[in-house]
Amino acid sequence: MKTALAAVTAVALVTGTAGTSRAGTAAAVEEREKRSASTSSNREGMGPWEVGAGSGDTTIEQGPAKRWRIVGATRAPVDSRPVALTIGIVGLPNAGKSTLFNALTKNNVLAANYPFATIEPNVGVVGVPDARLPRLAEIFGSERILPATVEFVDIAGIVRGASQGEGPGNKFLSHIRESAAICRVTRVFRDEDVTHVDGEVNPANDISTIQTELIFADLETVEKSILRLEKESRKVKDPVANLEAAKAAKEALESGTPIIATSIDRDLLRELSLLTAKPFIMVFNCDADELADEDLKAKMRELVAPAEAIFLDAKFESELVELDDEEAAEFPAEAGVTEPGLETPARVGFDTLGLQTYLTAGPKETRAWTIRKGDTAPEAAGVIHTDFQKGFIKAEVVSFDDLTSLGSMAKAKEAGKVRMEGKDYVMADGDVVEFRFNV
């Protein structure tokens, strides 16, 4: 059988400031499946194959404050490496979880002033703003822009004793286990009309409550796994390493130390889906006065160090998304805010999970894809389709800055800014790539 050489012009931008949901979730590219289905009949004589063609059942809207969201998306099976960015939003009742979720996704989710207003998790997929996307779309004359995405899950409020069944109990724990990272929302704002489940606003106590319940839940999971692994270790030797890791985890949890703060091999504990092993980001829900109080913010940062602390006014942000683009852009500028509050959770979560994105661009669309930091060029190509990775030959690479300053790939080549990279090349921030592969 003849092997056709297919050149795929994939303009790829790597950046650490965007996010996406797992491959196959909303905004998954059914175009991959169409290409895969037609592979056997179209391999012979295949010409240039443009990456990033639009997916007919996925619609992207641009809303207030230049934010993007996905509507009418389908979930299609895709045979490529899954790269997930699903963030579960947790916190005590009335901490502002659902208000934050509403603002992030612009959904009309119940945000009531009583415990457990959220019982079943609400799920929303939002596009992550990236100023480089419009620029590339301009260069390539793209009809539309498909940003990287983040899946946010609004999970029921946690109370003391949740790990023992209080409130929604174990129901919320299963929802957290399905998330790649946890966004912990802590209430700082004071409002007599919004009750606090413990009767007083105390961020330190709230953080401790959430941490304690997650630790107790993990401790129960680990203790059960130790009993199982001890039985298995009598028959085979393989579980011994897992057993030792589980025992080390039990010791750490009993001392009040979350797994993520230990040096225990996470791979040996992966099957347990431990809650305290998940990366987390901290969001402090403040009012306007508290956002301007640098001393208060410094104290909050100390509570969660070395994790990055995010400060925002969820109520204000939820009102901001209702404004038109011009008005929404004016308010943060007047307040001296350099980054819109709603963009920060996705950016920090993305970085916390060690992810980055690259772009494909063409006449039909400019699209952001998610890869892991340290991924090679073949691995990056494989996110589009596994055929791209299996048959990878080379990648023509140019920096994003050089491409945008020169105005086109052709001019970048003429200026000698394009270099050839092989299979061992590690994708770097700002790379723009043309992949070539055998099929």
Side-chain angles (χ1 to χ4, degrees):
M1 178 182 293
K2 294 181 180 180
T3 301
L5 175 63
V8 54
T9 302
V11 177
L13 163 68
V14 181
T15 171
T17 59
T20 189
S21 63
R22 66 177 65 85
T25 60
V29 281
E30 65 271 18
E31 187 67 22
R32 302 181 196 172
E33 300 306 311
K34 295 176 183 177
R35 292 168 181 162
S36 180
S38 63
T39 294
S40 59
S41 61
N42 292 333
R43 300 274 173 155
E44 291 296 332
M46 178 181 286
W49 190 355
E50 180 189 345
V51 179
S55 52
D57 295 328
T58 301
T59 304
I60 303 293
E61 294 183 340
Q62 187 175 27
K66 302 296 183 183
R67 295 195 305 112
W68 297 87
R69 66 172 182 169
I70 296 174
V71 295
T74 58
R75 291 174 179 264
V78 180
D79 69 346
S80 60
R81 286 186 337 120
V83 182
L85 182 49
T86 303
I87 300 178
I89 305 176
V90 303
L92 269 61
N94 299 336
K97 299 182 297 79
S98 293
T99 302
L100 175 61
F101 178 85
N102 289 347
L104 286 166
T105 63
K106 206 178 178 183
N107 284 347
N108 188 22
V109 176
L110 175 66
N113 176 26
Y114 58 87
F116 317 124
T118 307
I119 302 300
E120 293 298 331
N122 300 297
V123 180
V125 181
V126 299
V128 180
D130 188 337
R132 285 165 281 209
L133 287 168
R135 177 62 181 132
L136 279 183
E138 179 184 356
I139 291 174
F140 287 86
S142 303
E143 295 177 3
R144 61 177 180 171
I145 295 174
L146 300 182
T149 57
V150 179
E151 184 175 86
F152 285 99
V153 183
D154 182 18
I155 298 171
I158 301 175
V159 294
R160 285 190 176 87
S163 58
Q164 304 301 317
E166 291 296 325
N170 291 330
K171 199 170 187 179
F172 89 85
L173 295 176
S174 64
H175 296 149
I176 300 176
R177 293 188 198 283
E178 295 171 0
S179 301
I182 302 175
C183 173
R184 303 185 189 178
V185 179
T186 301
R187 175 176 172 177
V188 181
F189 72 90
R190 298 179 183 277
D191 187 339
E192 294 180 358
D193 294 329
V194 180
T195 60
H196 190 287
V197 69
D198 291 332
E200 66 171 345
V201 177
N202 188 320
N205 285 348
D206 293 354
I207 292 171
S208 177
T209 295
I210 295 175
Q211 183 82 304
T212 299
E213 292 306 320
L214 297 181
I215 285 176
F216 282 163
D218 278 354
L219 192 55
E220 181 179 357
T221 299
V222 168
E223 288 174 342
K224 290 180 180 178
S225 73
I226 289 176
L227 294 175
R228 173 177 58 81
L229 291 169
E230 284 178 337
K231 292 180 181 179
E232 293 178 359
S233 65
R234 299 189 189 105
K235 301 176 182 179
V236 292
K237 295 182 180 180
D238 290 342
V240 173
N242 299 71
L243 176 60
E244 293 305 315
K247 289 181 177 180
K250 180 175 182 291
E251 183 177 348
L253 293 167
E254 287 177 336
S255 68
T257 304
I259 300 303
I260 197 169
T262 70
S263 59
I264 301 172
D265 187 345
R266 307 282 194 282
D267 288 337
L268 297 176
L269 300 173
R270 190 177 303 280
E271 67 173 8
L272 303 181
S273 298
L274 298 179
L275 304 177
T276 63
K278 295 182 180 295
F280 64 90
I281 58 178
M282 301 296 302
V283 173
F284 290 98
N285 190 10
C286 309
D287 59 25
D289 292 336
E290 290 154 349
L291 287 175
D293 189 338
E294 294 301 327
D295 291 337
L296 174 64
K297 290 160 69 174
K299 293 178 181 178
M300 296 300 103
R301 289 190 181 95
E302 290 178 6
L303 290 175
V304 300
E308 182 172 347
I310 300 171
F311 299 92
L312 52 78
D313 183 341
K315 184 178 180 181
F316 172 76
E317 295 289 349
S318 66
E319 295 170 349
L320 194 63
V321 297
E322 300 299 330
L323 302 177
D324 60 39
D325 291 353
E326 186 175 345
E327 290 179 316
E330 289 177 357
F331 276 89
E334 292 174 357
V337 177
T338 56
E339 179 180 38
L342 294 182
E343 295 183 16
T344 311
R347 175 184 61 79
V348 175
F350 200 74
D351 187 62
T352 299
L353 287 173
L355 302 177
Q356 59 191 20
T357 64
Y358 71 84
L359 301 181
T360 60
K364 290 188 177 181
E365 68 184 29
T366 289
R367 181 191 290 265
W369 307 82
T370 299
I371 59 175
R372 295 175 178 85
K373 292 180 180 178
D375 274 358
T376 60
E379 289 171 331
V383 171
I384 300 174
H385 198 287
T386 51
D387 281 353
F388 292 14
Q389 181 174 357
K390 293 175 181 177
F392 178 89
I393 299 176
K394 59 185 177 181
E396 292 183 347
V397 183
V398 60
S399 74
F400 172 79
D401 290 339
D402 286 340
L403 174 61
T404 53
S405 64
L406 292 169
S408 71
M409 285 293 290
K411 291 182 179 179
K413 291 178 180 179
E414 291 174 2
K417 299 296 184 181
V418 179
R419 63 188 187 277
M420 302 302 297
E421 299 290 355
K423 294 182 178 181
D424 295 331
Y425 177 70
V426 176
M427 301 291 283
D429 182 35
D431 277 351
V432 178
V433 182
E434 179 179 323
F435 295 117
R436 292 185 179 275
F437 64 101
N438 277 319
V439 293

